[in-house]
Amino acid sequence: MDRFLSNAVNKIDSKGRVSVPAHFRSVVQKRGFTELYALRALDIPAMDVGGLDLLDRYEERIAQEDPFLQTADDMSFFVHGDGAFLKLDQDGRITVTDFIREHTGITKDVAFVGRGHFFQIWEPERLKAHGQAVRERLLKLRQAATSSRTAGQSE
């Protein structure tokens, strides 16, 4: 498997490090990542984390913009100024820096959530609330689709 799937919560140790879940580390190894790129998510209190392919994807998008317009500058500020590289130590841990803590609200536990080609780092209670909101939005979409199909069949 070469996708980040599932989720896990791990404790931060006394030195400020947390173990990346083993199944996430195996994806990192299979994909040949030597370091991880982390970006503060734009609209949620989470960090998006992946290999250099994640950074490459953002930079490819920036390159499509006119370099003389504000959009390109804003995107670069976001991708480069709100991003950082994380190193996995020999035991598969990363340091939970102030850069991460300030954006996520993480204090003692870290939630890891697979997102396919990347994963996210969350404060566990914030993740729980976000997950509930996501499920509610999806349920409303399903209900709206079901009711529109049912209305179309009764005519």
Side-chain angles (χ1 to χ4, degrees):
M1 173 172 36
D2 66 345
R3 300 282 188 273
F4 296 104
L5 302 175
S6 193
N7 60 76
V9 176
N10 289 337
K11 288 202 170 301
I12 298 172
D13 70 16
S14 62
K15 294 182 180 179
R17 302 168 304 189
V18 65
S19 292
V20 174
H23 52 286
F24 285 18
R25 290 194 313 265
S26 70
V27 173
V28 166
Q29 185 178 20
K30 285 179 186 175
R31 294 176 75 191
F33 300 154
T34 56
E35 57 189 345
L36 298 173
Y37 168 71
L39 175 68
R40 291 177 177 178
L42 187 59
D43 59 341
I44 53 176
M47 300 294 295
D48 293 343
V49 182
L52 290 179
D53 61 330
L54 182 61
L55 177 58
D56 290 343
R57 189 169 42 169
Y58 287 122
E59 288 179 333
E60 287 169 11
R61 179 62 183 90
I62 294 168
Q64 295 172 13
E65 295 295 322
D66 183 332
F68 297 106
L69 295 181
Q70 189 66 44
T71 303
D73 190 55
D74 288 349
M75 290 170 73
S76 176
F77 179 85
F78 172 66
V79 168
H80 301 113
D82 271 352
F85 288 107
L86 305 176
K87 292 264 187 211
L88 275 171
D89 70 11
Q90 63 194 21
D91 296 318
R93 298 172 298 201
I94 57 171
T95 299
V96 184
T97 63
D98 288 342
F99 178 79
I100 295 170
R101 291 174 190 264
E102 289 167 6
H103 183 69
T104 61
I106 289 171
T107 55
K108 56 185 174 163
D109 295 321
V110 178
F112 294 84
V113 181
R115 298 293 307 267
H117 292 288
F118 67 100
F119 64 92
Q120 289 180 321
I121 297 173
W122 286 80
E123 189 283 323
E125 290 303 312
R126 287 182 173 184
L127 172 62
K128 184 177 177 181
H130 179 72
Q132 183 176 351
V134 166
R135 287 180 194 87
E136 288 171 6
R137 287 193 303 267
L138 290 173
L139 181 58
K140 285 180 185 178
L141 285 173
R142 176 183 277 177
Q143 290 168 340
T146 301
S147 66
S148 68
R149 274 184 278 175
T150 304
Q153 292 173 353
S154 64
E155 293 177 7

